[in-house]
């Protein structure tokens, strides 16, 4: 006999474990902003549905669902600006289940999480244990998992007019690495983002760079007022900084124009130092990715690391850095990147995961 999903669970319920820069100004409707931001919960039952309201900017938008560690098919959010209920799953075994609801994309949309519906007889359980290790990533579309599901395009340019249908933060190298290390991750990644305002591809034609994103909660004025982030809410042990690819738009000046190159490098060093001031005990790993780009940008990062001269600021290059693919990173390529990044972080030992920096 089919059971109706009539029991409502508020987002303010302590059964939810939230991860990511999420706006809790209204605890009854937390707003999911950054790619991969999630709500995890445990319950005993056979089905649930999700209530939300989507704020659309561009592309097709999706809710990601993981059930008992297995990624399910994404659920497209087809209506915007109005409350709706999505049937996330049905037909589960009447047993305990661990669920993760997550935002698949970056600022192509925000959504307000408005709660769950479960069966009247279902039991909501205490949330899963939160990982003791914490990571944060500042990056662009590769770190956000854009076009990661286009598996027929491994090593090839992107399919035309993909419009977000292949994008999934769960399959980004950043999240794969975090899962392999059993670490919590805040993914401050935005497609098209470069370092400097006026460069890159995000928020065109008035391009917004990571210098204007890094310290924000809501960061796209296409979707409402920009608001600051409270850094006391989350302190990572490891910080990944992974941009320097989109920075060649509109001009690939690095190594060619001494003045502009020095300007970028000085701002890059200042950015790292501002973050170091927020997280003085964290290990900072500076990199780009395997997406094809001019190696002069990696050379500039290497120079910046040497000039910063901080033992907790290191440069990392992938084996196919800057030459692995002309398109976005697909899931198999992201897994290889995660293999290399995981091994690199493990080489530092357990001390990097200790609060206080292992001192």
């Amino acid at each position: 006999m089919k059971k109706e999903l009539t029991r409502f669970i508020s987002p303010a319920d302590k059964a939810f474990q939230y991860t990511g820069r999420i706006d809790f100004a209204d605890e009854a409707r937390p707003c999911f902003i950054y790619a991969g931001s999630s709500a995890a919960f445990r319950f005993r039952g056979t089905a649930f549905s999700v209530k939300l309201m989507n704020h659309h900017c561009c592309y097709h938008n999706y809710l990601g669902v993981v059930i008992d560690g297995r990624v399910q098919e994404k659920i497209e959010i087809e209506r915007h600006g109005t409350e709706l209920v999505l049937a996330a799953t049905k037909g589960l075994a009447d047993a305990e289940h661990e669920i993760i609801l997550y935002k698949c994309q970056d600022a192509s949309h925000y959504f307000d999480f408005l709660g769950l519906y479960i069966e009247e007889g279902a039991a909501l359980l205490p949330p899963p244990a939160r990982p003791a290790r914490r990571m944060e990533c500042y990056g662009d579309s590769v770190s956000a998992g854009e076009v990661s599901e286009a598996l027929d395009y491994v090593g090839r340019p992107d399919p035309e007019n993909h419009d977000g249908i292949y994008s999934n933060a769960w399959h980004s190298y950043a999240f794969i690495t975090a899962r392999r290390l059993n670490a919590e991750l805040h993914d401050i990644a935005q497609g098209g983002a470069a370092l400097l305002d006026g460069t890159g591809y995000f928020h065109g034609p008035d391009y917004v760079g990571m210098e204007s994103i890094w310290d924000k909660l809501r960061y796209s004025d296409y979707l409402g007022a920009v608001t600051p982030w409270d850094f006391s809410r989350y302190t990572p042990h490891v910080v990944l900084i992974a941009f320097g690819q989109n920075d060649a738009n509109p001009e690939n000046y690095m190594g060619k124009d001494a003045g502009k190159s020095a300007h970028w490098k000085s701002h890059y060093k200042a950015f790292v130092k501002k973050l170091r001031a927020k997280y003085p005990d964290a290990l900072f790993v500076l990199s780009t990715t395997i997406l094809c780009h001019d190696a002069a940008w990696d050379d500039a990062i290497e120079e910046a690391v040497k000039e910063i001269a901080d033992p907790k600021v290191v440069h990392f290059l992938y084996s196919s850095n800057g030459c692995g693919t002309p398109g976005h990173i697909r899931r198999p390529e992201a897994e290889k990147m995660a293999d290399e990044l995981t091994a690199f972080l493990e080489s530092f030992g357990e001390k990097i995961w200790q609060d206080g920096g292992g001192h």
Side-chain angles (χ1 to χ4, degrees):
M1 177 176 164
K2 182 179 178 181
K3 298 180 182 179
E4 296 297 323
L5 303 180
T6 55
R7 182 182 172 193
F8 177 70
I9 309 297
S10 166
D13 196 291
K14 299 302 182 184
F16 292 109
Q17 179 190 100
Y18 292 99
T19 297
R21 287 191 185 179
I22 297 171
D23 189 347
F24 290 100
D26 184 346
E27 291 189 351
R29 51 190 312 131
C31 184
F32 284 47
I33 296 165
Y34 287 88
S37 298
S38 65
F41 66 97
R42 295 171 60 243
F43 85 117
R44 174 182 286 275
T46 63
F48 66 91
S49 59
V50 181
K51 186 177 182 181
L52 57 78
M53 185 164 77
N54 195 55
H55 306 281
H56 179 257
C57 179
C58 61
Y59 293 160
H60 295 266
N61 303 151
Y62 298 89
L63 173 71
V65 181
V66 177
I67 300 176
D68 299 331
R70 298 188 302 276
V71 182
Q72 307 298 300
E73 185 172 342
K74 297 179 303 189
I75 303 172
E76 184 165 3
I77 306 169
E78 296 182 332
R79 289 189 289 123
H80 315 302
T82 185
E83 296 183 2
L84 70 157
V85 176
L86 302 176
T89 189
K90 59 184 178 180
L92 294 175
D94 192 2
E96 293 184 8
H97 301 285
E98 186 168 317
I99 312 298
I100 302 173
L101 308 173
Y102 68 94
K103 188 171 183 281
C104 293
Q105 297 154 283
D106 53 23
S108 60
H109 71 125
Y110 295 167
F111 70 76
D112 298 331
F113 175 49
L114 304 178
L116 295 178
Y117 287 99
I118 61 176
E119 303 146 319
E120 281 298 329
L124 207 60
L125 305 171
R130 189 179 292 277
R133 296 174 170 184
R134 298 181 298 276
M135 296 174 60
E136 192 163 68
C137 178
Y138 294 81
D140 53 31
S141 56
V142 177
S143 299
E146 192 166 335
V147 207
S148 59
E149 293 183 333
L151 300 185
D152 291 337
Y153 292 82
V154 172
R156 297 168 54 194
D158 291 342
E160 292 185 12
N161 303 318
H162 50 81
D163 289 339
I165 63 175
Y166 300 111
S167 296
N168 195 336
W170 189 265
H171 300 310
S172 72
Y173 77 92
F175 273 99
I176 297 171
T177 299
R179 291 195 296 274
R180 290 181 180 177
L181 292 167
N182 191 27
E184 185 174 1
L185 174 68
H186 283 203
D187 197 14
I188 316 306
Q190 171 57 48
L195 172 63
L196 305 177
D197 289 345
T199 66
Y201 301 91
F202 172 58
H203 198 279
D206 300 317
Y207 299 115
V208 173
M210 191 56 67
E211 283 189 321
S212 294
I213 297 172
W214 74 282
D215 59 352
K216 303 300 191 298
L217 176 55
R218 295 175 181 259
Y219 64 95
S220 175
D221 61 12
Y222 290 158
L223 292 165
V226 172
T227 59
W229 168 247
D230 177 2
F231 281 86
S232 69
R233 287 174 53 183
Y234 184 78
T235 303
H237 298 105
V238 171
V239 177
L240 309 177
I241 297 178
F243 48 82
Q245 301 172 150
N246 296 316
D247 304 66
N249 185 60
E251 180 185 0
N252 186 20
Y253 55 78
M254 187 57 67
K256 302 176 180 69
D257 184 310
K260 291 179 180 178
S261 298
H263 175 78
W264 186 90
K265 194 168 66 173
S266 69
H267 278 251
Y268 187 86
K269 290 189 293 183
F271 176 84
V272 173
K273 290 176 181 178
K274 283 187 289 188
L275 264 180
R276 289 287 290 136
K278 298 292 186 184
Y279 309 134
D281 296 319
L283 174 70
F284 279 61
V285 179
L286 281 45
S287 68
T288 53
T289 73
I290 69 170
L291 180 65
C292 290
H293 62 269
D294 190 330
W297 295 92
D298 299 299
D299 294 340
I301 292 172
E302 175 68 18
E303 292 169 5
V305 168
K306 289 179 178 178
E307 291 167 15
I308 291 170
D310 181 335
K312 288 197 170 183
V313 177
V314 299
H315 187 201
F316 176 68
L317 293 170
Y318 296 93
S319 59
S320 300
N321 209 89
C323 61
T325 177
H328 278 86
I329 312 306
R330 320 304 174 199
R331 188 181 69 211
E333 296 162 325
E335 289 172 347
K336 183 178 178 182
M337 287 177 63
D339 287 343
E340 296 180 16
L341 182 56
T342 298
F344 180 70
L345 291 173
E346 287 179 333
S347 73
F348 290 89
E350 187 62 31
K351 63 182 180 181
I352 64 171
W353 305 107
Q354 298 174 12
D355 291 335
H359 297 304

